[in-house]
Each structure stands twice: as C-alpha cells, then as structure tokens.
Amino acid sequence: MKKLHAISVAHHKNTAYSPARRMEVPKTVLIPMSMNIGAPAEPVVKVMEKVKVGQLIANAGGYVSAPIHSSVSGTVKKIGTMVNSMGRYVKTVTIETDGLQEPWEGLTPPDVHDFASFIEAVKACGAVGLGGASFPTAVKLNIKSLDLCDAIIINAAECEPYNTSDTSTMFERTDEMWEGILLLKKWMEAKRIIIGIEDINKKCIEIFQNKVKESGVDGIEVKVLPAKYPQGAEKVLIYNTIGRMVPEGKLPIDVGAIVMNCTTCATIAHFVKTGMPLVEKVVTVDGSAVKEPGNIIVPIGTQLKDLYEACGGFKAEPKKVLYGGPMMGIAVPDLEQPVLKSTNATLAFAEAEARLPEPTACIHCGKCIDACPFDLMPCELEKATEKKDVDRLRKLKVNLCMECGCCAFTCPAKRQLVQSHKLGKALVAADNARLKAQAEKDAAREKEKAEKEAAAKAEAEKKEEKEVVSK
Ligand code: SF4
Ligand code: SF4
C-alpha cells in the first residue's frame, strides 16, 4: 500500500494525562447560534427567561444543523449578534449565570431501540464532530442503508501539537467512550470498528487494547498509527486504517467508511445514559504565554478571557491566540470569543512564537510537494492563485487541499501557502457560483425562447384554422 506523505512535528503534549479540572462557572456565557457546519440554530428562549443546564435554548435551523442547550443555569440577558473568528455575524444568546448549575428537570435518557431512534437521540444530544469539524453527527450517521458502511473509524489520533483533550477523553472517560463505540456497533450494525491511536499515546493504546480483549466483542480493533502529522485528518486516517482513498468531491461513506471523533462517541453515550446533552467541553489551554496550562472542563459559551483567567492568566503578553492547534488552528480576534462545541484547544503565544517569518522567493526545491499527503503541488497552486488562473487551480485540484499546513511548515522560503490555498479555493468557489448563475440564466432564456416559439406556432395554427373555415 502506498504511503501518504506526512511530516514530523514537535508534539508539545505538555498537558497529556494531567487530570482535567472543572473551572468555576463564569458570570456570563455567550453562546453563538452557529457552532456547526450547516444552518445556524434558532433561539427558542426569551430575554429574562430562566434556564437550567441542559435545557434547549435553540432548535436546529434545518436538516444540516444541530440544537443548542444551555450550558449553565441562570437568566437569558440578551439575544444579540457577534462577529465570530471567521469575520461573520452570528446570532448569540447571552446567559447570566446563577452559579448553581442546576440541571433542567426535563432531562430524561432517550428511548433508543432501533437505528431511527438512535439517530433521533444523536440529534437531540446536539452532537457535532468534536474533533474540530463540527459537522452535525446525526446527519453523518443517517445513511440511506446500513449496508453502505462496513467500517467505522474512531478518530483518536490527536495529531495536532499541544492538543490533548481527546487524550483526556480516552484516559478519563474510557467507559463512556467505549459505551459510545458499542452504541455505534449495535445501531449502525458496524462489522468493523477501528480505533486509531498514535503510537506516542502508549497509555491509551494499552487501555483500549485491554478493553477490546476483556469485552470479547468481535469486530473492534485498535490500530496503532505513527505519530506523524496529519494522521488525524479524516481522509488520511481512512487511508491509513483501511487502505481506502476518498476521491475528490466524495465523502468517506462513498468508500464505505464513517469517521467518528472519540470525544463525540463519549458525548453520545453520556446523553443516552443520562439525558444530558452536549453542554461542556474539555479544552486544552496551552502556549508560551499561559501561566498554568491544563485541560479544563468548560461550559460551552465560556469566553476565552474567563478561560485564560481560570488558568492563572498570562505570564507574557499574548500576541497570538488560537482556536485549535498551531497547524490548523484559527487566530481569534479577541478574548471575548467563546468556547464553541468544536473547540478542543486554545493556545496563546508570546511574541517569539507568534511572529510570522518574512517569506522569501520560492526556490523551486519541491519540498512542499514531498510534504503534501495528497500529492498536490502547493508551489504551483500558489502561482495559479497569484494569477487568478481558475482553470489551472481546478486542474491542480485545489479543492483536495485540506489546509493541513504540511507544505507551509516544510517550505524553506516560508511562503504563506495555506493562506494562498484558501484564496485559491475561494476563487474556484466564486467561479463555480458564476458558472451556475450563468447556466441558470441561459436555461431561463432558452425556456422563454421555447415558450415564445410555442405561442407563435399556436397562434399561426389558429390563424390557419380560421382561414380554412372562412374559405
Ligand atoms: S495544505 Fe493543502 S497543499 Fe499543503 S500539504 Fe496540506 S493538503 Fe497539501
Ligand atoms: S517548498 Fe517553498 S520554496 Fe520549495 S518549491 Fe515549495 S513553495 Fe517553493
């Protein structure tokens, strides 16, 4: 089997196996209504309404969407908007907490008795891909026929440097994660479940190898993967566990696979057991500017300023703060930004690590090509983007780029390749939209022309009939 390119990065897993600690409930939480891929959720609460932990505060806004529940007990103070880290306006619900963290009285474990009720439970739980993808889990699992999927891959390959929140799940929520795996096995009728863990995570490998052995359940295995980046990227993981390549424009299910993040598994099991939906996250807080790094249990909607405060504040001025890890993370504009469902880490770096190196001219060394897991040509993509050559970007398969950053990390000229690829993809998307609009316009024009011709023909026939009658 061909090996996909991967790179060695410093792991910086400083917080691995340090017990996750629960932070004090902040005074307010700011819960965005857009925390998943797809439609935003629609608030169902009103200003001044009292809410409790686990209470529904927003309904899913469409099929590809997820409901949102209150992460605290308190009073709804505001329904407003904020600009998120992607620069988009999103609706928010601000809740002033009462510090009591009273669970909502209506919480009951769902009745799961078949595939359909399992999907309903996953939906009601508000689960989204917690590895960072944030795709609504119920939509991912709701496949047309269970025969379409013969392998479920549990993504426990936490390849981003610094991040250890999935490790915390494996280590501290072992039973819940295992129960989640068994739920998938039962209701998705999965023939094969593969738990992919990186080889540096020895304790977790041992824990789950023992679980598999002790349970005696057939069809579940642990796959030990080399700790190379980007081992946890969906398509890379599928290839490295079951040897199938997801083609461009296709989904894992098209090659018979579903990938589930390990914390998502634990979240679903927790809901099925207790009725408590997704309301909190374990977030890795680390980086050179942070006084007391750690894994912190955080109510969703906690603002980063409160989270960093719970970690002793900063020991140096933070010059760059990220959602996620240093390879694929997104810089946040300010510390008012809240913890989202998919936030698994936030890193704050001081000047030395935050400073961007000055890019120099490409020296055509080809190292970026060697580093790309999908054999793309990052240097050529960059040139095509600079020229706004959309046809060439398509030919070079820019849309296969998963923005993993391997090319930029390897580039000796420090070219800002990922930013360039993002722009390249946006150029193709804009051109696709233009072509679609043009095709719709042409089709409408053709339709109008055909209708006019049909009307003229009918008119001519009528006239002819009249002439025949009058003769
Ligand atoms: S960012 Fe894109 S082009 Fe660069 S290595 Fe990753 S997939 Fe390849
Ligand atoms: S690694 Fe950098 S310098 Fe080398 S070919 Fe790629 S873009 Fe150019």
Side-chain angles (χ1 to χ4, degrees):
M1 189 169 100
K2 180 186 161 225
K3 254 182 145 184
L4 297 185
H5 300 296
I7 58 171
S8 297
V9 291
H11 301 299
H12 296 294
K13 302 283 187 187
N14 315 314
T15 52
Y17 307 117
S18 65
R21 62 182 172 85
R22 192 171 290 279
M23 71 176 274
E24 208 175 290
V25 185
K27 287 198 171 65
T28 56
V29 290
L30 176 66
I31 305 181
M33 297 294 101
S34 284
M35 292 197 277
N36 53 262
I37 289 180
E42 268 306 312
V44 292
V45 284
K46 292 190 178 66
V47 174
M48 295 315 289
E49 189 174 332
K50 297 256 184 238
V51 290
K52 291 186 177 172
V53 182
Q55 182 174 339
L56 183 82
I57 58 166
N59 274 325
Y63 179 65
V64 183
S65 186
I68 297 172
H69 305 83
S70 180
S71 57
V72 293
S73 57
T75 308
V76 176
K77 277 287 152 186
K78 191 177 164 190
I79 295 176
T81 54
M82 64 174 276
V83 178
N84 71 9
S85 60
M86 306 300 281
R88 295 192 188 112
Y89 277 97
V90 295
K91 220 180 240 183
T92 53
V93 172
T94 304
I95 304 170
E96 193 174 84
T97 62
D98 58 15
L100 302 172
Q101 286 304 78
E102 280 185 279
W104 182 53
E105 301 80 3
L107 296 177
T108 40
D111 172 20
V112 177
H113 52 272
D114 57 11
F115 172 69
S117 58
F118 176 59
I119 296 297
E120 275 313 305
V122 175
K123 203 171 174 181
C125 162
V128 301
L130 297 181
S134 70
F135 189 78
T137 309
V139 180
K140 181 194 272 197
L141 295 178
N142 196 12
I143 51 180
K144 279 193 196 113
S145 159
L146 290 176
D147 294 336
L148 292 174
C149 172
D150 65 0
I152 294 182
I153 300 152
I154 308 300
N155 193 348
E158 200 170 33
C159 62
E160 266 276 2
Y162 293 92
N163 293 13
T164 61
S165 67
D166 280 345
T167 301
S168 157
T169 298
M170 287 187 270
F171 197 57
E172 298 193 276
R173 298 175 69 195
T174 310
D175 288 343
E176 274 188 344
M177 181 178 144
W178 182 253
E179 282 159 26
I181 291 170
L182 295 182
L183 285 169
L184 288 170
K185 176 117 184 75
K186 185 170 181 183
W187 302 117
M188 300 299 294
E189 295 176 16
K191 293 174 197 77
R192 235 183 124 191
I193 292 199
I194 304 111
I195 309 167
I197 310 177
E198 284 194 327
D199 57 12
I200 49 165
N201 223 337
K202 296 205 174 1
K203 283 187 195 171
C204 294
I205 291 169
E206 199 186 321
I207 289 170
F208 279 92
Q209 279 175 338
N210 287 339
K211 273 272 176 204
V212 170
K213 211 152 104 195
E214 285 160 15
S215 73
V217 180
D218 283 337
I220 305 181
E221 64 196 271
V222 173
K223 174 94 179 171
V224 179
L225 301 158
K228 289 268 190 168
Y229 181 83
Q231 193 63 262
E234 194 169 68
K235 289 182 180 179
V236 175
L237 188 67
I238 293 171
Y239 187 77
N240 287 344
T241 49
I242 57 171
R244 295 176 202 164
M245 184 57 88
V246 181
E248 189 187 1
K250 297 285 177 192
L251 295 168
I253 195 66
D254 295 314
V255 296
I258 288 177
V259 178
M260 287 285 291
N261 167 267
C262 61
T263 304
T264 311
C265 289
T267 302
I268 293 169
H270 187 68
F271 178 66
V272 169
K273 201 167 58 181
T274 65
M276 180 59 82
L278 173 58
V279 292
E280 63 183 24
K281 279 300 300 280
V282 171
V283 179
T284 301
V285 184
D286 204 345
S288 57
V290 182
K291 244 189 205 161
E292 296 160 15
N295 277 320
I296 317 295
I297 305 168
V298 187
I300 288 168
T302 298
Q303 289 174 289
L304 296 185
K305 59 182 181 187
D306 295 322
L307 177 53
Y308 281 107
E309 198 51 47
C311 292
F314 297 111
K315 60 183 178 196
E317 194 190 342
K319 290 288 185 182
K320 184 177 261 186
V321 177
L322 299 175
Y323 270 141
M327 297 302 287
M328 288 189 81
I330 290 171
V332 296
D334 53 54
L335 297 181
E336 303 294 312
Q337 297 289 324
V339 166
L340 311 173
K341 285 182 179 182
S342 59
T343 307
N344 44 26
T346 176
L347 309 177
F349 292 108
E351 174 76 29
E353 293 81 11
R355 203 182 311 120
L356 279 179
E358 202 53 49
T360 53
C362 171
I363 54 168
H364 311 290
C365 63
K367 284 189 176 162
C368 54
I369 302 171
D370 287 343
C372 179
F374 299 145
D375 292 332
L376 300 179
M377 298 175 75
C379 45
E380 292 300 313
L381 283 171
E382 191 193 30
K383 274 190 227 159
T385 298
E386 273 169 11
K387 287 185 193 153
K388 297 197 170 71
D389 187 342
V390 175
D391 289 338
R392 178 119 177 99
L393 282 166
R394 281 200 188 93
K395 257 185 218 143
L396 291 167
K397 298 184 187 297
V398 70
N399 278 334
L400 258 184
C401 172
M402 57 179 166
E403 299 165 19
C404 66
C406 291
C407 50
F409 182 84
T410 320
C411 175
K414 304 294 170 210
R415 310 287 311 159
Q416 293 187 1
L417 296 168
V418 180
Q419 287 86 336
S420 168
H421 305 333
K422 283 185 186 180
L423 186 57
K425 288 205 262 184
L427 288 173
V428 172
D431 196 56
N432 287 346
R434 181 189 65 78
L435 290 175
K436 194 173 165 228
Q438 187 61 48
E440 281 167 4
K441 224 167 153 186
D442 290 349
R445 201 180 301 127
E446 281 302 311
K447 196 176 161 210
E448 198 186 327
K449 197 176 149 203
E451 280 169 359
K452 271 187 189 159
E453 280 171 3
K457 200 176 159 202
E459 186 62 31
E461 281 169 2
K462 230 192 230 167
K463 204 174 157 196
E464 214 173 67
E465 259 174 44
K466 265 189 197 162
E467 279 170 8
V468 172
V469 171
S470 64
K471 271 182 198 168

